[in-house]
Structures are given as C-alpha cells and as structure tokens.
Amino acid sequence: MKRILSFSIAALLILGLAAFTTIHGKDGKPSAKDAAAVKEVEALERQRFEAQVKKDYAFLEKVFADDLVYTHSNGKQNGKTDYIQSIRDGKSVYDKIDVEALNVRAYNDGKAAVVNGTITIYQPNKPDGTPNIAHLKYVVVQIKDAKKGWQVVLWQSQKQAEPKS
C-alpha cells in the first residue's frame, strides 16, 4: 500500500512539473509565445474598452467571438450580436472606461489567455443628475483563432463597492 501511495505521489509530482514546464518553459518563465501573447492581449483589452466608448462596431465585431458569453455585473447575459446591438440601441452607453488594473496570463503556447482586471465605467448621469459610475472587477477568456486572431469568448464582470474618499 505504501509503495502504491509513493508511486502515486511521484506520478503527480512528475505530471505537475510537466504541466508547469508546458505553461512556463523549462526555466520557469513563460515561453516566448506566451510572453508575446500577454502583450498582444493587454493591448487588445485596452483597445476593446476604447472601442466600446467610441462605438467602433467593426473592431468589436472582430474581437468578440461569435459564441461570446458576456455576463454583466447585474447577472444579465448577452451574446456577441445582442451586446453590440445594445450599444447601437443606446442601452449600453459608455462615456469613459478607465482601466485601473489589468493582469493577463497566457497559456497553450500563446493560443489562450485569461485576463482579470478592475475598471471604472463612466456612463451618462442618472435621471436625478447624479454621476453614474460603476467600479467593476472582471474576468475575460480569449482564444487565438488562426484566421480571426484573438477572440473574446467569455467575459464576466462584478460590481465593487464605491471606494471610500
């Protein structure tokens, strides 16, 4: 029994090391392709938020995967077509989006990325004239398609408490 347990632990350690080197390379650092993907995806995230503000539908059509699932901070879900249409219809309006924090981790030799960050969204004032500001934490999964480039396939956001002054 001890021998089986020892073998199992050794096998798990070897598998763990193999997975680590697959993701990070032999020296423990991200592969060159993963490092390049991190830079690409970080830039695309910033461009995506800018495109939402500027209503750059062509860019949004390009970076959102056809099977996008976006879960808003209120729990409502949209696909690509519905979300872009909500911007066209004025249901999703953004005056400004500030990226407060952005962390990108690339996987699978630069073919997949997980993003998490914090943003502040400024929308038109509420009906009573008070500012309409949302502080959100969010997670995005992007996949690199050989023909289409980076595609946002999953996006979920969560409202955060108002920062104390």
Side-chain angles (χ1 to χ4, degrees), residues 10 26 41 45 47-48 59 77 87 100 104 140 151:
K26 292 179 183 173
V41 170
E45 279 293 290
Q47 290 172 339
R48 178 173 66 85
F59 185 83
Q77 283 191 332
I87 297 173
E100 308 294 339
V104 180
V140 162
Q151 301 270 285

Side-chain angles (χ1 to χ4, degrees), residues 14 26 47 59 70 80 92 106 113 131:
I14 290 168
K26 292 179 183 173
Q47 290 172 339
F59 185 83
Y70 172 26
K80 173 182 177 174
S92 296

Side-chain angles (χ1 to χ4, degrees), residues 108-137:
N108 197 21
D109 222 11
K111 295 178 186 147
V114 176
V115 180
N116 65 290
T118 307
I119 57 175
T120 301
I121 296 177
Y122 299 86
Q123 296 176 298
N125 286 346
K126 296 176 184 175
D128 66 1
T130 59
N132 192 2
I133 301 170
H135 302 279
L136 305 174
K137 285 189 178 182

